[in-house]
Amino acid sequence: TRPTTHWETSVGARAFCGLQDRFLTDRPMDPVRIAVVGAGVVGLSTALCVSKLVPGCSITVLSDKFSPDTTSDVAAGMLIPHVDAETPIAKQKQWFRETFDHLFAIANSAEAEDAGVHLVSGWQIFRSVPTEEVPFWADVVLGFRKMTEAELKKFPQHVFGHAFTTLKCESPTYLPWLEKRLKGSGVPILTRRIGDFWELHPSFDIVINCSGLGSRQLAGDSKLFPVRGQVLRVQAPWVKHFIRDGNGLTYIYPGIANVILGGTRQKGDWNLSPDAEMSRDIFSRCCALEPSLRGACHIREKVGLRPFRPGLRLQTELLAQDGRRLPVVHHYGHGSGGISVHWGTALEAARLVGECVRALRSPKSKL
Amino acid sequence: MRVVVIGAGVVGLSTALCIHERYHSVLPLLDVKVYADRFTPFTNSDVAAGLCQAYLSDPSNPQEVHWNRQTFDYLLSHIHSPNAANMGLALISGYNLFREAFPDPSWKDTVLGFRKLTGRELDMFPDYSYGWFNTSLIVEGRRYLPWLTERLTERGVKFFHRKVESFEEVARDGADVIVNCTGVCAGALQPDPLLKPGRGQIIKVDAPWMKHFILTHDPEKGIYQSPYIIPGMQAVTLGGIFQLGNWSEVNNIQDHKTIWEGCCRLEPTLKDAKIVAEFTGLRPVRPQIRLERERLHFGSFNTEVIHNYGHGGYGLTIHWGCAMEATKLFGKILEERKLLRMPPPHL
């Protein structure tokens, strides 16, 4: 009998149609047991996508860190894509669009506050005219246009800019909201530190590896490295617009409970302790763009290590050892752009998981 | 030269400041006092959401377009100051929504980045099919009035809590020029059948995820009678009440429901917003602002009155342009009385 499934989002359904046909079977199925390692935005959204889109599975999330202690929690969560040099632009645009559309629907629903997602307008400004005046994602965000001369007067050091409306997805709220939805779907969420994928065998049939920077050890991926980012969280509720310098180093992102000021980009730096000198520098650079920030109070410092890789790793690896087999769907290495593309890449990971499940169930399977 | 400004709302305080700034250096004996029966936070200016946006249709007096623009430019010049937040000033972007196509307003080049809404943006507002997006300013009375008060106090301007019953009493006290900024109560000093209260009620909520203003317009209902949501420096103002001729300053439960239902329909996320306050204000509605001189005779002496009242629901939007105009009128009085040793600098 064809299993029924409940499509959570129309985006997911569109993305997933076709796979549904592959689950025709005449015999009842034992659920395929899937372990999701990692509970940042990538782990939780992947678990949710798989739970909604891949029938016949039982999912468990395992992580040593949860919100508010994940890397995602430090990120401002602004939906402004970071270009990944390895992935084709069309793919990056697809992932960004899927994420934007998904979050836009949440922002316009009554759940917006519970999910920590809201619209914010603002400006991306440049000290010299960029070679690409219109970025690939211009038609994904809302109302994208070039800044007028009058608008640029606010930024005397800058000569060009983009004005648009985008979304902010705040992990300290979004992640608990995802966790709640997972628990509501019967997905256990366990605190556990995994040192080796084989620890999950034979309890689980498939592993989805969303361990971010942890994959350096867990997956032995030496291509993965941290790019340290320090930010300030301040109280300045009168700031209603985001301001981002085109170089990406200086930004002001107003959120629900605070404004995030950033930032830094330190390649290969693992230090999670805030640096006071850097905080002063961040504050000073941001005040240059928005002088009223001088009146900001309750300044807190945070550090996050962006999980950088030359290209996102989104692929299935079949681990084999002593006659045992364990398919691992890797889903990590999002660098600066995790939140901007998380839903799109989670949908893709769910597709890969669906293929693994199909392969496991296939009577010809030698797994 | 003794000047008495009656009224301590945004119009009274800004006019006092403008006059003092312009003429203090050339008129050493300039003495400015403010008389009012209400001060911040109990004036109408404190109730207003403070969004700088003029009416959609052209005003009957074309000078008002100019005064709106002057005010916007003046406030915009302060936006870059580290003091902007202390002044109650912030940039804010947002949506004006209509049920059908509407002509562009006269102020489209005054505000920043004015454009039409795209289809995807309109999808957010199912009851509306057309609209604008632009960046404007908030000038929040609860911060701006104290800031103006501080500037005036620094300059030695004194404030008196006093209910003025007549121009004559102020003239007899020794005022050479009276600046009448009494707003909706101007009729008590001199009957004005053109001046009427436009009662408004607003609910202030905590909804910090709201970063945009949303103003809806219904041509059948008239200005301010359709829901609006205006984030301020901290809280968000919800409104949509305009009752011409209603003098009640008490919050009304039916109006509360109208505002709440209208705004929640417009923005479903508000259902979880915490209500922090509710206020009623009386907009000083008049077909056009009364901004003119009048010479009054009391027995053997004359007093000059500069009227500056009747700013409707756009007082904060237009205040500085009007203050500058009132200051010009004051300058004319000084010229006529040959009180200026040198020609006044251009305003």
Side-chain angles (χ1 to χ4, degrees), chain A residues 99-234:
Chain A
T99 308
F100 192 94
D101 288 348
H102 172 76
L103 293 176
F104 188 48
I106 295 173
N108 288 311
S109 75
E111 301 244 34
E113 197 216 341
D114 293 332
V117 182
H118 63 94
L119 282 172
V120 56
S121 297
W123 309 285
Q124 181 166 240
I125 52 181
F126 300 83
R127 286 175 197 261
S128 58
V129 182
T131 36
E132 200 186 48
E133 286 193 14
V134 179
F136 74 83
W137 43 267
D139 60 345
V140 178
V141 297
L142 299 170
F144 183 95
R145 59 173 173 82
K146 294 191 193 145
M147 285 170 74
T148 62
E149 286 301 317
E151 290 175 305
L152 281 164
K153 284 210 185 96
K154 184 171 154 58
F155 309 107
Q157 314 277 343
H158 296 77
V159 301
F160 181 84
H162 301 138
F164 54 95
T165 302
T166 187
L167 293 158
K168 190 170 191 288
C169 174
E170 304 191 350
S171 289
T173 310
Y174 186 60
L175 298 193
W177 184 76
L178 289 175
E179 279 181 43
K180 199 167 150 192
R181 295 176 72 205
L182 283 165
K183 285 175 185 161
S185 298
V187 172
I189 299 181
L190 309 177
T191 307
R192 228 177 104 178
R193 186 179 174 78
I194 309 296
D196 190 304
F197 291 125
W198 289 111
E199 290 171 30
L200 298 164
H201 185 279
S203 313
F204 296 97
D205 304 306
I206 299 174
V207 174
I208 311 178
N209 173 26
C210 305
S211 58
L213 202 51
S215 282
R216 198 173 151 96
Q217 199 153 21
L218 189 55
D221 189 342
S222 55
K223 287 193 203 161
L224 197 54
F225 59 93
V227 175
R228 182 183 180 281
Q230 185 163 320
V231 295
L232 303 178
R233 288 180 183 163
V234 311

Side-chain angles (χ1 to χ4, degrees), chain A residues 97 100-101 104 106-114 117-121 123 138-145 148 150-151 153-155 164-166 236-241 254-258 290-295, chain B residues 76 79-86 89-95 109 111-115 118 120-121 123-125 133-136 138 143 206-212 231-236 267-269 271-273:
Chain A
R97 187 188 289 282
F100 192 94
D101 288 348
F104 188 48
I106 295 173
N108 288 311
S109 75
E111 301 244 34
E113 197 216 341
D114 293 332
V117 182
H118 63 94
L119 282 172
V120 56
S121 297
W123 309 285
D139 60 345
V140 178
V141 297
L142 299 170
F144 183 95
R145 59 173 173 82
T148 62
E151 290 175 305
K153 284 210 185 96
K154 184 171 154 58
F155 309 107
F164 54 95
T165 302
T166 187
W238 61 87
V239 176
K240 311 286 184 198
H241 296 89
I256 296 177
N258 54 42
E290 179 57 65
S292 71
L293 283 171
R294 294 260 166 225
Chain B
L76 197 61
I79 271 288
H80 310 296
S81 143
N83 278 322
N86 294 336
L89 284 185
L91 283 171
I92 186 166
S93 295
Y95 308 89
D109 295 319
V111 297
L112 300 173
F114 181 93
R115 62 172 173 83
T118 63
R120 285 167 71 211
E121 290 174 305
D123 285 344
M124 294 194 281
F125 309 108
F133 186 91
N134 64 267
T135 302
S136 183
I138 301 172
R143 293 194 189 200
D206 248 341
W209 60 91
M210 299 284 310
K211 306 293 180 193
H212 299 91
M233 300 297 282
Q234 278 197 276
V236 177
E267 181 55 55
T269 62
K271 71 166 182 27
D272 289 326

Side-chain angles (χ1 to χ4, degrees), chain B residues 179-198:
Chain B
V179 187
N180 176 21
C181 306
T182 49
V184 75
C185 295
L189 290 179
Q190 189 185 90
D192 184 343
L194 296 175
L195 179 69
K196 296 186 173 97

Side-chain angles (χ1 to χ4, degrees), chain A residues 67-80:
Chain A
S67 180
D69 301 318
T70 71
T71 304
S72 310
D73 290 289
V74 185
M78 288 298 296
L79 257 71
I80 301 176

